[in-house]
Structures are given as C-alpha cells and as structure tokens.
Amino acid sequence: MPALKVLSALDVARIQWYHFKAIIVAGMGLFTDAYDLFCIAPIMKMISHIYYHKDSIGTAVLSTSYAIALLGTALGQLIFGYLGDRVGRRRVYGLCLMIMVLSSFGCGFSVCTTRRSCVIASLGFFRFVLGLGIGGDYPLSATIMSEFANKRTRGAFIAAVFSMQGLGILMSSAVTMAVCEAFKNAGKESLEKMRAAGMENLAPAESDIAWRLILMIGALPAALTFYWRMLMPETARYTALVENNAIQAAKDMQSVMSDSVLSQIAEDSSSETPQQPQSSSSSYKLFSRRFFSLHGCDLFAASANWFLVDVVFYTSNLLLSQIFIFSNKPPNSTNVYDSAFEVAKVAAIVAACSTIPGYWFTVYFIDRIGRVKIQIMGFFLMAVVYLVAGIPYSWYWSKHEKTNKGFMVLYGLIFFFSNFGPNTTTFIIPAELFPTRFRSTCHGISGAAGKLGAIVGTVGFLWATKHPEEDKEDVFPDVKRVRVAFLILGGVCIAGVLVTYFFTRETMGRSLEENEEDDICTTSGPRQ
C-alpha cells in the first residue's frame, strides 16, 4: 500500500514532548497493571494469617487466587483488543482505565470480615474484573504507542511504556512494606498483649484493613492519568487507514505535534479526499486464508513466544515468594505484618537490582540490536541460568540457608535477562507486525496466549511442588520438585529460542505499513 503522507511524516518525525507524554500516560496503565498483578503474593500471606490462622490456606485456594486475575486479563486482552480495532483505540482505552480504578477499590471493599470463604469469593470476583481492565490495557497501550512513534525509535518508546511495569512492581512492594510497618507500629500494644497471651500467630483485627488498603492504593496512579488519557487524540493510523479519513488524521497530529516535518501535512493532505482508496491487500479479513498466508506465522510466533516467556516469568515471581526469606525469625513464628513485609522486601530487591535495569537495557538497545537478537539472547541466557540453578539445586543450593547471596544473584539474572529479553520484546513485536485494522486484536490474542502460559506456570508450580500431607507444615516447597521445576523452565526457554529463530520476523527500522505488505510467510528457515 502506498503510505499516506501523514503516516510518512510520522515515521520520520523528530522526538518531541508529545512522545514522552504518551509514554507516561500509556505507561501508567502498565504501572497499575503490574502493581495489581504482583501485589497478590504478600496479600495472600496476610489473608492466610488473618482468616486461616494456623491452617494451611490450601493449594486449591492459593492457585485460584493467582489464576483468577490472569484469566480475567486473558479475556480482557481478547475482548478489548478486538474492540480497539472495531470502535477505536481512544474510546476503549478510557473504559479499560475506569474498570481498573473501580475494581481496585472493589478489591479493598471485598465483603465479609469473618467468613473466609466469603472474603475469598468476593476478592476473586473483583480481581477477575480487574483482570479484564488490565487485559485491555496491554494491547491498547502497545498499539497506541507504536502508531504514534517514528520508525527509528519506535521500539524504545514501546519498551519505555512497558518498563513502567518494573516501577509498578517496585511500588507495590514499597507500599506493602510501608503499610505493614505503619500498622505494626500503630498496633504495638495489641501485638504485645497477644504475644503475652501466647497468640502471637493470630492477626490483630486492624490487619484486615491493611491488605485492603494496599489493594485500593493501586487505583490511584490510573485515576490520576484518566484526564490526560481522555485528551489523547485517536491515532493517525487508525483514523487514516481504518476510518479512511486522512484529513482528520492530519488535524489530530497537528494539534499535538509541532515538528517541522508535520507542518507540511495540511498542505499535503489538502489534495487528498477523505476517502482513501484501499489496496487489494487491505480487502482480506481477519482469520481469512489471505490473512493466515501473510500473518499466520507472525501470529503463531508472537503467541507462542509470549506463552513460553510468561510460563517462565510468572513462575519465577511465584518462586521468589516461596523459596527466599530474609528474616532471622523462624518462618512459622512471624506475625501477619512481618510475613507480608518479607515477601515484599525480596520482590523490591529483585525489582530494583535486576527487573528495572533489564527493562532499561532493552530501551537503550532495542533499536540498535533488534528485537529478534535480544529475544534469542534473553531466552538462551535464562535457560543457562535455570540449568546452573537447577542441576545442583538439591545437593548444593538447598543445603545453604535460604538467604544464600550467590543463589540470589543467580536468580536475579533470570529477571534481568527476562526483561532485557523476551518479556519486553513479546510486548513490542505484536504491536509492529500486523495491519492497522487487526493490530490491537492480534496483540490481544498474543497477550492472551501469554496469560494462559502464566496460569499454566503458576498453578502448575503450586500443585507440582506441594508437600505431601505429612510435611505440609514446611513453608518451603519440596526441594526435589523445585529442582525439576528449574530444569523444566530451562527447557521452556530453549523452546523459546527455537520458536524465535525459526518463526519471528525482525521489525526494527521498518514502518508499520511495510510489515503489512510483507511477503507471504514461509517456515523454511530463520525469518528476517
């Protein structure tokens, strides 16, 4: 398709303030997504103390609590990704943000304060709805940023949006630690009385407010950016290529960009009619034979890679809360605040030292090295680390105390190369490969496959590493099963290397329209 002049202007436009504003506005959605998805580990520690006392919370309840938001996220990616292509990115974008804000508050107001089944059920409902909003934010944020960016720095801009996840993870840990410490200091007298009565393992009544407050605070960043998100115009590519109105697209871009390149848009578009002729390639429909011949390999690669990396990424985050503890107290003797504090502290250390640096390495190198090379490198090095951690785990790493620094550094490398690797690139590539009228839908399909991988990883790990009935008091997962889990995750990473090498196409330095007009896909060798 001959590129419209307004789109050509966007592809060569210089970096300006509006690009950074779009990164912040779109990124705050990902910030909120990460906060809400990753705060659940310390929250479940608190709920275990408050409602289950000395009883085990149960693998079924625990796995459901992790999976319910992920399931909602997968459905949200499919539903709102499709709607983003049907009714416009901007309209659906605000709806997703509103769902996230309201459901975050809903989680905090989960009904009941005494019956645990009622609390878990209502929390599960609101987290499912929260997942719907989070799911919609993924394809829309990536698509909007890719369609606003120029082709030279497009990868860095999308990666910068996604990097806000790292800050969201760090913020959820910081808020959890601050709230736990504040409630612990405010309730010292009640804790002392309970300790004197031999009930130190029981949670004070005010702790039921603490976990609710942590969840509700997650709504604030999204709420603060709602106004600016509503001021964002529809993307020029959607307006020009889907609504067939190049003149309106030019006006929208002129209202937010002041680059000298765009100063010619009005002059160029004045000779265009609102209805632009479509090329023959734009007549095919989603999931038609023509679509699969052009983009079937791309959709398979994007979905498979996202599935594989989320199996690894979410399982690794769950492992983090299960196998590390920095407290000098015996694990079973900590109170409700200390148990959540320790889980949040470990997550904060990993986020600050490896997760966030990994994101920003990708921002810097993505448009210098390319998406495919970074993705292959990340998968491969993660596989190496998992094998180094897994092979000697039962006879070396597990024999050391749980605060072993060497193993912590090794584990941190997993998160570094996940984010300086496939966790970020799987978010970027689907936003660049597909035609404008299918872009949000296909990104949503790829992301939904990823969240199914996250469910497989987290639920599978919880059930696979659970202790036999006679050892259920042990708070750490079974050593031999953790070793097997590490080896399996290493194998998953190797599968990611193969899928990326043979099926994933490089998009660096190419316009989005060039990807639409690419040759029919083949699988005869590595894709360029």
PDB file of all heavy atoms in Angstrom, residues 171-185:
ATOM      1  N   MET A 171       6.802  -0.306  43.291  1.00  0.00           N
ATOM      2  CA  MET A 171       5.865   0.481  44.091  1.00  0.00           C
ATOM      3  C   MET A 171       4.943  -0.414  44.921  1.00  0.00           C
ATOM      4  O   MET A 171       4.650  -0.096  46.082  1.00  0.00           O
ATOM      5  CB  MET A 171       5.047   1.399  43.189  1.00  0.00           C
ATOM      6  CG  MET A 171       4.049   2.281  43.927  1.00  0.00           C
ATOM      7  SD  MET A 171       4.851   3.355  45.165  1.00  0.00           S
ATOM      8  CE  MET A 171       5.736   4.482  44.094  1.00  0.00           C
ATOM      9  N   SER A 172       4.484  -1.518  44.348  1.00  0.00           N
ATOM     10  CA  SER A 172       3.617  -2.417  45.118  1.00  0.00           C
ATOM     11  C   SER A 172       4.354  -2.964  46.334  1.00  0.00           C
ATOM     12  O   SER A 172       3.778  -3.098  47.420  1.00  0.00           O
ATOM     13  CB  SER A 172       3.115  -3.563  44.236  1.00  0.00           C
ATOM     14  OG  SER A 172       4.135  -4.484  43.932  1.00  0.00           O
ATOM     15  N   SER A 173       5.652  -3.269  46.152  1.00  0.00           N
ATOM     16  CA  SER A 173       6.451  -3.760  47.285  1.00  0.00           C
ATOM     17  C   SER A 173       6.665  -2.661  48.314  1.00  0.00           C
ATOM     18  O   SER A 173       6.556  -2.900  49.525  1.00  0.00           O
ATOM     19  CB  SER A 173       7.802  -4.275  46.779  1.00  0.00           C
ATOM     20  OG  SER A 173       7.636  -5.345  45.882  1.00  0.00           O
ATOM     21  N   ALA A 174       6.958  -1.451  47.837  1.00  0.00           N
ATOM     22  CA  ALA A 174       7.199  -0.338  48.761  1.00  0.00           C
ATOM     23  C   ALA A 174       5.942   0.001  49.552  1.00  0.00           C
ATOM     24  O   ALA A 174       5.996   0.230  50.770  1.00  0.00           O
ATOM     25  CB  ALA A 174       7.684   0.883  47.978  1.00  0.00           C
ATOM     26  N   VAL A 175       4.797   0.043  48.878  1.00  0.00           N
ATOM     27  CA  VAL A 175       3.536   0.338  49.564  1.00  0.00           C
ATOM     28  C   VAL A 175       3.209  -0.757  50.574  1.00  0.00           C
ATOM     29  O   VAL A 175       2.786  -0.470  51.702  1.00  0.00           O
ATOM     30  CB  VAL A 175       2.389   0.490  48.539  1.00  0.00           C
ATOM     31  CG1 VAL A 175       1.032   0.521  49.239  1.00  0.00           C
ATOM     32  CG2 VAL A 175       2.582   1.759  47.720  1.00  0.00           C
ATOM     33  N   THR A 176       3.409  -2.009  50.181  1.00  0.00           N
ATOM     34  CA  THR A 176       3.142  -3.120  51.104  1.00  0.00           C
ATOM     35  C   THR A 176       4.006  -3.004  52.350  1.00  0.00           C
ATOM     36  O   THR A 176       3.512  -3.154  53.480  1.00  0.00           O
ATOM     37  CB  THR A 176       3.403  -4.466  50.410  1.00  0.00           C
ATOM     38  OG1 THR A 176       2.533  -4.599  49.290  1.00  0.00           O
ATOM     39  CG2 THR A 176       3.154  -5.624  51.368  1.00  0.00           C
ATOM     40  N   MET A 177       5.301  -2.739  52.167  1.00  0.00           N
ATOM     41  CA  MET A 177       6.193  -2.613  53.326  1.00  0.00           C
ATOM     42  C   MET A 177       5.815  -1.416  54.190  1.00  0.00           C
ATOM     43  O   MET A 177       5.820  -1.513  55.427  1.00  0.00           O
ATOM     44  CB  MET A 177       7.647  -2.499  52.852  1.00  0.00           C
ATOM     45  CG  MET A 177       8.207  -3.786  52.266  1.00  0.00           C
ATOM     46  SD  MET A 177       9.988  -3.710  51.938  1.00  0.00           S
ATOM     47  CE  MET A 177      10.033  -2.583  50.539  1.00  0.00           C
ATOM     48  N   ALA A 178       5.480  -0.289  53.550  1.00  0.00           N
ATOM     49  CA  ALA A 178       5.126   0.907  54.318  1.00  0.00           C
ATOM     50  C   ALA A 178       3.843   0.703  55.120  1.00  0.00           C
ATOM     51  O   ALA A 178       3.768   1.070  56.303  1.00  0.00           O
ATOM     52  CB  ALA A 178       4.976   2.092  53.366  1.00  0.00           C
ATOM     53  N   VAL A 179       2.832   0.113  54.484  1.00  0.00           N
ATOM     54  CA  VAL A 179       1.561  -0.117  55.173  1.00  0.00           C
ATOM     55  C   VAL A 179       1.754  -1.112  56.319  1.00  0.00           C
ATOM     56  O   VAL A 179       1.241  -0.905  57.433  1.00  0.00           O
ATOM     57  CB  VAL A 179       0.494  -0.628  54.174  1.00  0.00           C
ATOM     58  CG1 VAL A 179      -0.759  -1.106  54.921  1.00  0.00           C
ATOM     59  CG2 VAL A 179       0.126   0.476  53.194  1.00  0.00           C
ATOM     60  N   CYS A 180       2.495  -2.188  56.069  1.00  0.00           N
ATOM     61  CA  CYS A 180       2.723  -3.185  57.122  1.00  0.00           C
ATOM     62  C   CYS A 180       3.480  -2.586  58.296  1.00  0.00           C
ATOM     63  O   CYS A 180       3.138  -2.838  59.470  1.00  0.00           O
ATOM     64  CB  CYS A 180       3.492  -4.382  56.558  1.00  0.00           C
ATOM     65  SG  CYS A 180       2.522  -5.452  55.482  1.00  0.00           S
ATOM     66  N   GLU A 181       4.490  -1.795  57.986  1.00  0.00           N
ATOM     67  CA  GLU A 181       5.274  -1.185  59.064  1.00  0.00           C
ATOM     68  C   GLU A 181       4.432  -0.172  59.844  1.00  0.00           C
ATOM     69  O   GLU A 181       4.521  -0.106  61.087  1.00  0.00           O
ATOM     70  CB  GLU A 181       6.510  -0.510  58.473  1.00  0.00           C
ATOM     71  CG  GLU A 181       7.579  -0.142  59.487  1.00  0.00           C
ATOM     72  CD  GLU A 181       8.220  -1.346  60.151  1.00  0.00           C
ATOM     73  OE1 GLU A 181       8.118  -2.457  59.585  1.00  0.00           O
ATOM     74  OE2 GLU A 181       8.796  -1.169  61.239  1.00  0.00           O
ATOM     75  N   ALA A 182       3.612   0.601  59.136  1.00  0.00           N
ATOM     76  CA  ALA A 182       2.770   1.596  59.810  1.00  0.00           C
ATOM     77  C   ALA A 182       1.746   0.927  60.725  1.00  0.00           C
ATOM     78  O   ALA A 182       1.559   1.349  61.882  1.00  0.00           O
ATOM     79  CB  ALA A 182       2.066   2.460  58.766  1.00  0.00           C
ATOM     80  N   PHE A 183       1.093  -0.109  60.236  1.00  0.00           N
ATOM     81  CA  PHE A 183       0.096  -0.804  61.054  1.00  0.00           C
ATOM     82  C   PHE A 183       0.761  -1.545  62.209  1.00  0.00           C
ATOM     83  O   PHE A 183       0.199  -1.631  63.306  1.00  0.00           O
ATOM     84  CB  PHE A 183      -0.708  -1.785  60.189  1.00  0.00           C
ATOM     85  CG  PHE A 183      -1.892  -1.162  59.520  1.00  0.00           C
ATOM     86  CD1 PHE A 183      -1.743  -0.360  58.401  1.00  0.00           C
ATOM     87  CD2 PHE A 183      -3.175  -1.363  60.015  1.00  0.00           C
ATOM     88  CE1 PHE A 183      -2.839   0.222  57.773  1.00  0.00           C
ATOM     89  CE2 PHE A 183      -4.279  -0.786  59.412  1.00  0.00           C
ATOM     90  CZ  PHE A 183      -4.106   0.010  58.279  1.00  0.00           C
ATOM     91  N   LYS A 184       1.944  -2.074  61.969  1.00  0.00           N
ATOM     92  CA  LYS A 184       2.650  -2.789  63.037  1.00  0.00           C
ATOM     93  C   LYS A 184       3.034  -1.832  64.160  1.00  0.00           C
ATOM     94  O   LYS A 184       2.853  -2.141  65.347  1.00  0.00           O
ATOM     95  CB  LYS A 184       3.903  -3.455  62.459  1.00  0.00           C
ATOM     96  CG  LYS A 184       4.710  -4.240  63.483  1.00  0.00           C
ATOM     97  CD  LYS A 184       5.944  -4.862  62.833  1.00  0.00           C
ATOM     98  CE  LYS A 184       6.803  -5.573  63.866  1.00  0.00           C
ATOM     99  NZ  LYS A 184       8.023  -6.161  63.235  1.00  0.00           N
ATOM    100  N   ASN A 185       3.548  -0.647  63.802  1.00  0.00           N
ATOM    101  CA  ASN A 185       3.933   0.337  64.826  1.00  0.00           C
ATOM    102  C   ASN A 185       2.712   0.901  65.545  1.00  0.00           C
ATOM    103  O   ASN A 185       2.749   1.148  66.755  1.00  0.00           O
ATOM    104  CB  ASN A 185       4.727   1.472  64.184  1.00  0.00           C
ATOM    105  CG  ASN A 185       6.101   1.020  63.701  1.00  0.00           C
ATOM    106  OD1 ASN A 185       6.668   0.071  64.252  1.00  0.00           O
ATOM    107  ND2 ASN A 185       6.633   1.674  62.682  1.00  0.00           N
TER     108      ASN A 185
END
